[in-house]
Amino acid sequence: MTSPHHAPPLGGVIESVLYTADMQRARHFFTQVLGLESHLEDERFTAYPTGNTMLLVFQQGQTGETVRLPDDMGTIPPHDGEGRQHLALAIPAESLDDWEVHLAAHGIEIEGRTRWPKGSVSLYFRDPDDHLLELVTPGLWPNY
């Protein structure tokens, strides 16, 4: 009898990706509304540090070909996405009211508000590409 093979351990999610139809509009939203600072950008994508992860925003239709990196560093296989996607961002509980005021000041409608069983609260709203974004206070998941 053979024992089942177990996957090696994972350390967490390093990158999350959203796709945009208009990179300039997306950059404006993520910098001006969410207060993120670009770490790296070109015509294809923008990378924003978010805690221990990176949020990558790619231009739709610009990642369909394999990218060959210089100096034989390797390749990045093609990828792309469309449709409404979802991303949750962590916020401290004490900043929840400030975020509601901030979003309202930018004309961002809060579409939903959820109080979870362990006291965590989520605010839901849309980015310019109609992705559902969530700001969530600690306690939603066992690891957060």
Side-chain angles (χ1 to χ4, degrees):
M1 183 172 164
T2 61
S3 62
H5 178 61
H6 296 285
L10 293 173
V13 175
I14 299 300
E15 301 170 346
S16 295
V17 175
L18 293 175
Y19 294 89
T20 184
D22 183 331
M23 184 60 73
Q24 292 307 317
R25 180 184 68 188
R27 284 179 180 155
H28 176 80
F29 177 84
F30 286 101
T31 59
Q32 299 302 309
V33 176
L34 293 188
L36 298 176
E37 291 186 28
S38 168
H39 168 72
L40 185 62
E41 61 185 61
D42 65 19
E43 67 280 351
R44 294 175 50 250
F45 83 108
T46 306
Y48 300 100
T50 57
N52 293 326
T53 66
M54 295 296 284
L55 169 58
L56 305 181
V57 179
F58 280 95
Q59 179 68 47
Q60 288 174 329
Q62 296 295 311
T63 56
E65 301 291 327
T66 298
V67 173
R68 299 190 188 294
L69 300 171
D71 302 322
D72 293 324
M73 288 178 16
T75 60
I76 302 172
H79 57 89
D80 203 0
E82 59 183 51
R84 298 188 297 182
Q85 299 153 22
H86 171 66
L87 181 72
L89 298 164
I91 61 169
E94 60 272 11
S95 72
L96 184 67
D97 292 340
D98 292 337
W99 271 107
E100 287 191 74
V101 170
H102 178 75
L103 292 171
H106 283 277
I108 306 295
E109 176 188 354
I110 295 174
E111 290 188 23
R113 182 183 176 108
T114 303
R115 182 168 299 282
W116 299 102
K118 293 186 178 181
S120 178
V121 176
S122 292
L123 297 178
Y124 296 94
F125 57 97
R126 302 272 173 188
D127 78 356
D129 286 284
D130 212 27
H131 300 309
L132 181 64
L133 302 183
E134 175 183 1
L135 299 178
V136 61
T137 63
L140 176 61
W141 299 110
N143 61 341
Y144 177 64

